Amino acid sequence: MAAQRATNNAAQGKICQFKLVLLGESAVGKSSLVLRFVKGQFHEYQESTIGAAFLTQTVCLQDTTVKFEIWDTAGQERYHSLAPMYYRGAQAAIVVYDITNQDTFARAKTWVRELQRQASPNIVIALAGNKADLANKRMVDHEEAAAYSEENGLLFMETSAKTAMHVNEIFLAIAEKLPKNEGGTNRPRPEVDITQSNPPGGSKGCCSSH
Amino acid sequence: MEASVYLWDRQLVENAQGNQEDRIVAFKKDGVFVHFYNPGNDDDKIIGGTLSIVEEGHKRLLEWKPNEANLPADEIDNEHDTQVLSGSSSAVVGTEVQDCSTGQEISSEMRCPPSNEGKESSDPEWTVVNDSGHSKSNSVDHESFELAMDAVPSSQSSPETTVPNYAFSVQLQEIRYIKRSNKGLGWPYIVLEMRDGGTLPTLHFHHKGCKKFLKIVETYVPTAPSTKYPRTIEILQDNPNALAQSFDELNLFGADTSGQHHHPGAFAKKLIQDPVTTAFSGFSKVTNFLQDMLNPAETMPQSRPMHERASVMNEDATEAVGAGRIQIKQDDSSGGFELITCAQLGPRCDPLRGQPLDVETWNNHKDEEGRIIDPDGIKEIIFRGGIEPVLRKEVWKYLLGYFEWNMTQAEIKSYKKDKEDDYYRMKLQWKSISADQENRFSAIRDNKCLIEKDVTRTDRTRIFYEGNENISLKLLNDILMTYVMYNFDLGYVQGMSDLLSPILEVLAGEVDAFWCFVGFMNIVQHNFDVNQMGMKTQLKNLRVLIQFLDPKFWDHLVDKESSNLYFCFRWLLIRFKREFSFEDVQTLWEVSWTGLPCPNFHLLICLALLDTEKQKLMQPECGFTEILKHVNDLSGSIDLEATLRKAEGLYLQLVTCKRDLPETVKDILGLNK
Ligand SMILES: Nc1nc2c(ncn2[C@@H]2O[C@H](COP(=O)(O)OP(=O)(O)OP(=O)(O)O)[C@@H](O)[C@H]2O)c(=O)[nH]1
Ligand SMILES: [Mg+2]
């Protein structure tokens, strides 16, 4: 099931569109998180991402409809040089690591640093410790990651694309933290009066994937 | 663009600033000085201040403000001043880092006598400030001052001189050039030239940070080295689509194959400013122009909308010539190229496809000792119709260069033995690395880790790779690991497992699959270059072909900031592996392994695919993201046979006017031989 929390009063609200990018070491579960968030599915054998994938998903906050334009990137270091194209101009980023692999946490930190240096200065960054369902194989402490996030002003959640734990939550937390005036800072979109355009997804409420 | 505040009065600047809450001071640098020339007194005022980059709504502002309680330079402790000026010039440093160093901060903080001893340098001086917009003021580094002071006049004016309250706040985008002082002239300074031709006061970086400042500017606005001035960066006008911009920053098409170091945009710019003269004086440079077009972000005077540029190009260059059917030719010795228009290409035909190579035909092509006679004939058949599935296992070994066509069965037998030994030798190399050894062998560890990650998610929905205890997974893993030993410089790169998977399934044997994979990798290994060189070259070649064959579509792509052709990345990287069904991938690959009808035929396949999707891709609302999404989503729904026919049709269309093709196109398609 896709992101919920559709509220009726969203119909009076505005639509904001944000660009969100997923970064992190290969196989930490970036594509899986997106697939869970956008389509409510999980594929155990999710293929690796070549180049990048683009998806959209809409979530509803109290009075605002937030449309995420999601860029899912390839994680391997060899393709690092392509990443700036995706995080450039992004208003939000989810940096993903795998809680069962310490190296991926170190890599996540370098992504955070790179974003802090190179991306839009007011980018909202969330750190996702994915594969939380594999708690028995845990190699990265929750506390350590939480403390690191705190220090760096990141949103932080441990997630599981497999069980759906905290997947919608992390996107919603980002949506809530994003500035809603004029739909983001870097790529202003005209505000759309939702009463004039059909909310995506029709009867399902205003939340749906495209 | 909104008019910027371009004020000289501090109060006005402050008044003009928006709501403080909307202002985010992203970067702040103390100790940036304006040397104010005071004509009445014939001396200079030196005003210390703070340079910052501020985000205010969508605006990116460069601001300089004098320090609070700023003092005219002449109030500074004279002893200090003298000290400064008597600094030895012999130590003037050649390096950028050092030549920024100085010990002075002329501000209120300076009134306390600095304690030089034991004071730790408090770099970095650039403080990334948090949302509150408050920055820790940088303490002064009292390093010994060892700069040649010639460039910096001393200030000995009387204290009564009033120092005007200067400040400025401009949008970064309104600045055109940032000129840097020459090295070795004391502290570095920069001259900011505005788009309207005016200049801001020269900013003197008495403390380190000039270079850093420039770096940071580059992260906020697109820049390029100026062709006009030395040591100058030019701020390009904002490209609304930062994505396209950043891709161009990767300089994907920047590889200057011609070895020229001219600014790629120079000719294009001139052409737009003065199309007629430039076009007619520069026809010899037509290909340069095309080459220039390969780099639109750098090339295009960004003040002009793309469609305007396109029309300039069409009317004044291409069509002025093309309409009159004038052919401009130059002999190759001069390095020039001819310009020909698309109209001169003949009609595109729809060639017939044939039957796949069958067992009978294959056997008929063997002599009694097992040599393949007429391999070209075989390739021709394969090109036209592929191979019957049962034969693939055998024929692929030839197509991928594992076997030579003229080997006898006897030769193959002993050759295979050798290859087998060779394979197991290399396999043993990684197999025999102990866990302990591996701990100190990160290169192997990293490759192993990457391969494991990918093997578990390559084509797992196919029966051949299904289930967790599947032997095929182990083979996939072992072949990839052995390939790492075979080609350690390259190592394992994501995408390779996709290339191996169909080969392993067809060949079904470890050793054969390995050597066939090696054969395929020999063709495509540059796709995996560390510097992405192979991908860059391919995208660049594809670009040349699109520009030539379909300028209208090309203009659309430029217009939609998709001229980087990044949406073709996956197609090219793994040769359409993810775009077609497993069966079709096999056919497509064997067709392309024949090397027929020309080198880079896969680029014509790209063109064919794009041509088929053109209507949708050219919809006005189809931007960078939509194009990429549409192309990604084609996966699984492409008609292979129709695509191959179209690609060959394109080839035939080009080859019939071979003599009239631009050299670049001929080079790509190997028509120069
Ligand atoms: N147990 C568990 N496995 C997961 C989870 N998320 C992803 N996986 C598995 O981890 C593997 C990699 O997931 P992907 O989503 O492809 O990883 P990625 O980060 O997109 O990788 P790249 O595309 O290579 O950068 C897949 O086999 C997933 O099934 C999770 O939350 N729990
Ligand atoms: Mg992925």
Side-chain angles (χ1 to χ4, degrees):
Chain A
M1 99 226 115
Q4 295 164 335
R5 209 195 272 206
T7 57
N8 290 332
N9 49 359
Q12 285 102 53
K14 49 188 175 175
I15 295 180
C16 291
Q17 190 159 310
F18 294 106
K19 181 181 162 187
L20 180 148
V21 62
L22 281 105
L23 298 166
E25 179 62 88
S26 178
V28 294
K30 298 180 294 298
S31 302
S32 300
L33 285 170
V34 177
L35 188 71
R36 172 61 77 189
F37 175 58
V38 172
K39 298 200 177 133
Q41 299 170 354
F42 176 73
H43 296 162
E44 193 168 349
Y45 302 129
Q46 177 66 39
E47 54 192 6
S48 68
T49 305
I50 303 278
F54 176 77
L55 295 98
T56 57
Q57 173 65 300
T58 307
V59 298
C60 302
L61 302 176
Q62 287 70 31
D63 61 341
T64 316
T65 302
V66 172
K67 183 176 175 193
F68 282 116
E69 295 185 314
I70 304 168
W71 286 94
D72 173 25
T73 62
Q76 199 187 340
E77 181 57 34
R78 189 70 50 110
Y79 302 117
H80 187 158
S81 62
L82 301 170
M85 162 158 83
Y86 296 112
Y87 63 65
R88 250 280 189 131
Q91 288 101 342
I94 303 183
V95 177
V96 186
Y97 68 92
D98 172 352
I99 65 150
T100 70
N101 183 331
Q102 187 72 46
D103 289 347
T104 65
F105 182 53
R107 184 87 182 89
K109 289 181 182 171
T110 34
W111 276 120
V112 169
R113 229 169 295 137
E114 176 164 343
L115 286 173
Q116 288 169 339
R117 268 204 325 264
Q118 317 259 7
S120 322
N122 43 0
I123 188 169
V124 173
I125 306 175
L127 183 68
N130 192 39
K131 309 199 186 179
D133 54 294
L134 302 176
N136 55 336
K137 292 192 193 161
R138 173 186 291 278
M139 297 297 281
V140 183
D141 274 351
H142 184 283
E143 292 72 35
E144 186 188 354
Y148 168 79
S149 303
E150 175 86 46
E151 261 166 50
N152 286 274
L154 317 176
L155 288 166
F156 170 64
M157 283 182 203
E158 285 196 347
T159 59
S160 169
K162 190 170 180 171
T163 67
M165 181 183 102
H166 289 166
V167 176
N168 291 342
E169 285 80 353
I170 198 164
F171 282 93
L172 284 167
I174 292 167
E176 255 150 34
K177 200 171 168 188
L178 284 162
K180 305 306 180 307
N181 52 325
E182 293 177 55
T185 43
N186 289 314
R187 277 174 72 191
R189 302 266 169 164
E191 265 181 35
V192 183
D193 184 354
I194 195 159
T195 53
Q196 282 169 11
S197 64
N198 283 330
S203 58
K204 273 162 68 195
C206 68
C207 297
S208 77
S209 55
H210 301 251
Chain B
M1 183 180 292
E2 297 148 85
S4 70
V5 187
Y6 189 172
L7 300 170
W8 285 102
D9 181 83
R10 188 174 166 195
Q11 205 51 52
L12 284 175
V13 169
E14 272 166 18
N15 292 346
Q17 280 167 1
N19 187 347
Q20 285 298 318
E21 268 133 53
D22 297 332
R23 286 169 53 83
I24 296 166
V25 180
F27 290 101
K28 208 167 183 178
K29 174 77 182 86
D30 284 345
V32 178
F33 290 73
V34 170
H35 295 200
F36 172 63
Y37 177 59
N38 191 338
N41 266 320
D42 197 25
D43 64 45
D44 292 272
K45 290 286 164 294
I46 301 178
I47 312 169
T50 304
L51 187 66
S52 22
I53 294 175
V54 179
E55 292 190 33
E56 195 177 52
H58 312 304
K59 288 189 276 188
R60 300 287 175 274
L61 302 171
L62 179 69
E63 297 186 344
W64 181 88
K65 273 189 272 182
N67 289 341
E68 301 293 313
N70 206 343
L71 293 171
D74 36 278
E75 278 188 37
I76 296 165
D77 180 346
N78 251 331
E79 205 182 304
H80 238 100
D81 228 357
T82 323
Q83 214 182 331
V84 165
L85 291 167
S86 64
S88 141
S89 64
S90 64
V92 167
V93 271
T95 69
E96 286 278 321
V97 189
Q98 277 179 305
D99 73 4
C100 302
S101 68
T102 171
Q104 293 302 294
E105 171 160 300
I106 305 166
S107 72
S108 53
E109 289 149 272
M110 280 296 294
R111 286 197 269 193
C112 314
S115 68
N116 281 329
E117 296 95 21
K119 192 160 193 284
E120 281 289 285
S121 160
S122 64
D123 272 339
E125 324 169 313
W126 283 94
T127 322
V128 181
V129 289
N130 55 26
D131 288 9
S132 72
H134 173 77
S135 140
K136 169 174 95 48
S137 126
N138 292 295
S139 55
V140 191
D141 297 341
H142 297 284
E143 298 157 21
S144 60
F145 195 68
E146 298 179 320
L147 295 169
M149 297 306 299
D150 315 17
V152 185
S154 67
S155 38
Q156 275 145 14
S157 60
S158 61
E160 300 87 62
T161 317
T162 48
V163 176
N165 236 347
Y166 285 116
F168 69 76
S169 172
V170 296
Q171 289 200 45
L172 276 174
Q173 275 289 334
E174 302 230 355
I175 300 168
R176 172 107 189 249
Y177 296 112
I178 303 181
K179 304 176 186 173
R180 295 151 61 198
S181 58
N182 286 326
K183 291 179 188 179
L185 283 180
W187 54 60
Y189 59 89
I190 54 171
V191 178
L192 303 165
E193 194 177 298
M194 307 301 287
R195 283 199 197 284
D196 61 18
T199 49
L200 291 172
T202 302
L203 297 173
H204 297 260
F205 288 74
H206 287 203
H207 304 290
K208 290 177 202 166
C210 175
K211 215 177 168 188
K212 250 182 192 162
F213 164 71
L214 294 174
K215 278 235 171 71
I216 284 153
V217 166
E218 280 167 12
T219 64
Y220 275 85
V221 281
T223 61
S226 165
T227 42
K228 201 169 156 198
Y229 305 108
R231 295 178 63 76
T232 299
I233 60 170
E234 180 172 4
I235 296 182
L236 306 170
Q237 296 225 321
D238 207 3
N239 179 342
N241 192 332
L243 291 177
Q245 187 62 52
S246 81
F247 196 71
D248 285 309
E249 270 173 20
L250 295 171
N251 207 11
L252 196 63
F253 302 104
D256 195 348
T257 42
S258 64
Q260 295 163 339
H261 291 287
H262 69 281
H263 187 280
F267 183 78
K269 257 179 211 160
K270 229 161 90 201
L271 186 62
I272 284 154
Q273 282 155 8
D274 185 7
V276 178
T277 342
T278 314
F280 282 97
S281 69
F283 277 133
S284 65
K285 293 180 187 146
V286 163
T287 352
N288 289 353
F289 173 63
L290 284 177
Q291 197 110 9
D292 291 338
M293 303 310 280
L294 294 179
N295 227 335
E298 282 171 54
T299 307
M300 290 306 110
Q302 313 257 328
S303 53
R304 283 284 191 105
M306 285 300 183
H307 56 86
E308 233 181 290
R309 175 208 56 79
S311 76
V312 167
M313 177 180 125
N314 285 343
E315 290 156 23
D316 297 320
T318 318
E319 272 164 24
V321 184
R325 294 288 169 271
I326 315 162
Q327 287 237 11
I328 290 89
K329 295 208 180 189
Q330 273 209 313
D331 43 350
D332 290 343
S333 56
S334 69
F337 298 104
E338 65 262 60
L339 173 76
I340 94 162
T341 62
C342 212
Q344 287 156 315
L345 290 172
R348 193 181 301 165
C349 65
D350 190 11
L352 289 174
R353 299 281 303 156
Q355 292 300 308
L357 177 69
D358 58 30
V359 179
E360 197 191 334
T361 314
W362 175 246
N363 287 335
N364 286 342
H365 276 77
K366 284 181 184 166
D367 69 11
E368 53 286 17
E369 286 176 290
R371 292 185 195 89
I372 310 302
I373 43 180
D374 188 22
D376 288 342
I378 291 283
K379 285 185 195 165
E380 183 63 40
I381 295 168
I382 297 171
F383 172 70
R384 204 143 295 290
I387 305 171
E388 277 196 350
V390 287
L391 264 183
R392 284 192 171 127
K393 190 176 153 113
E394 188 177 353
V395 181
W396 279 20
K397 293 171 188 158
Y398 292 90
L399 276 178
L400 287 168
Y402 174 31
F403 295 171
E404 309 256 349
W405 299 93
N406 61 0
M407 281 177 165
T408 63
Q409 279 308 312
E411 280 167 341
I412 282 177
K413 224 175 149 195
S414 76
Y415 174 82
K416 271 192 79 164
K417 185 81 194 60
D418 291 348
K419 286 296 198 189
E420 199 170 304
D421 290 348
D422 206 17
Y423 175 77
Y424 285 110
R425 184 182 55 78
M426 289 185 285
K427 185 172 175 180
L428 193 65
Q429 288 173 346
W430 64 267
K431 275 273 188 190
S432 60
I433 294 172
S434 70
D436 171 59
Q437 227 182 333
E438 202 180 293
N439 286 334
R440 295 178 301 274
F441 200 165
S442 62
I444 275 289
R445 218 166 50 229
D446 292 349
N447 278 294
K448 198 172 163 182
C449 185
L450 284 168
I451 289 170
E452 263 166 29
K453 282 174 183 171
D454 280 2
V455 164
T456 52
R457 48 187 182 144
T458 303
D459 293 320
R460 295 300 299 283
T461 48
R462 290 199 60 78
I463 296 167
F464 191 77
Y465 295 105
E466 225 175 28
N468 283 332
E469 302 306 316
N470 194 323
I471 178 77
S472 308
L473 297 181
K474 193 176 168 299
L475 291 181
L476 206 55
N477 181 80
D478 289 2
I479 294 171
L480 290 170
M481 278 304 290
T482 308
Y483 185 77
V484 169
M485 300 315 294
Y486 174 83
N487 192 351
F488 202 86
D489 286 347
L490 186 59
Y492 177 78
V493 187
Q494 227 161 44
M496 289 184 187
S497 67
D498 276 284
L499 298 181
L500 174 58
S501 149
I503 292 179
L504 178 60
E505 184 166 338
V506 165
L507 274 294
E510 184 175 357
V511 178
D512 290 344
F514 173 80
W515 288 110
C516 285
F517 176 63
V518 167
F520 194 9
M521 282 304 298
N522 287 342
I523 302 170
V524 296
Q525 66 167 311
H526 291 297
N527 287 5
F528 302 98
D529 286 348
V530 181
N531 56 11
Q532 304 283 321
M533 236 7 254
M535 289 303 292
K536 288 177 193 174
T537 309
Q538 288 197 61
L539 288 167
K540 184 172 155 186
N541 288 341
L542 182 56
R543 189 170 184 162
V544 170
L545 294 175
I546 298 175
Q547 280 179 316
F548 180 71
L549 277 163
D550 202 341
K552 234 177 113 190
F553 180 51
W554 173 250
D555 283 343
H556 173 80
L557 292 177
V558 171
D559 209 34
K560 297 297 176 187
E561 278 119 8
S562 291
S563 57
N564 55 49
L565 301 180
Y566 190 69
F567 50 87
C568 299
F569 191 87
R570 190 174 75 193
W571 291 0
L572 294 171
L573 187 85
I574 49 173
R575 288 287 165 110
F576 310 101
K577 160 70 163 48
R578 300 262 180 105
E579 319 311 320
F580 293 97
S581 70
F582 216 71
E583 178 64 33
D584 278 354
V585 165
Q586 295 172 23
T587 306
L588 173 59
W589 283 2
E590 60 206 12
V591 165
S592 74
W593 293 333
T594 64
L596 295 173
C598 61
N600 286 313
F601 184 61
H602 65 286
L603 297 181
L604 293 179
I605 294 175
C606 292
L607 273 165
L609 288 172
L610 291 174
D611 188 72
T612 306
E613 297 306 314
K614 212 166 83 177
Q615 303 314 326
K616 283 172 201 139
L617 296 176
M618 282 181 76
Q619 310 241 316
E621 70 278 5
C622 206
F624 180 83
T625 50
E626 288 77 13
I627 291 175
L628 189 133
K629 189 170 159 56
H630 182 81
V631 167
N632 270 357
D633 292 348
L634 289 176
S635 174
S637 64
I638 308 170
D639 180 341
L640 177 64
E641 288 298 309
T643 306
L644 289 173
R645 281 204 309 273
K646 191 176 264 187
E648 193 188 352
L650 285 165
Y651 169 74
L652 294 171
Q653 196 182 12
L654 286 167
V655 87
T656 41
C657 60
K658 178 175 160 181
R659 280 190 310 154
D660 299 329
L661 295 178
E663 293 298 315
T664 41
V665 173
K666 280 198 268 187
D667 281 341
I668 293 165
L669 302 178
L671 299 177
N672 267 328
K673 283 162 230 147

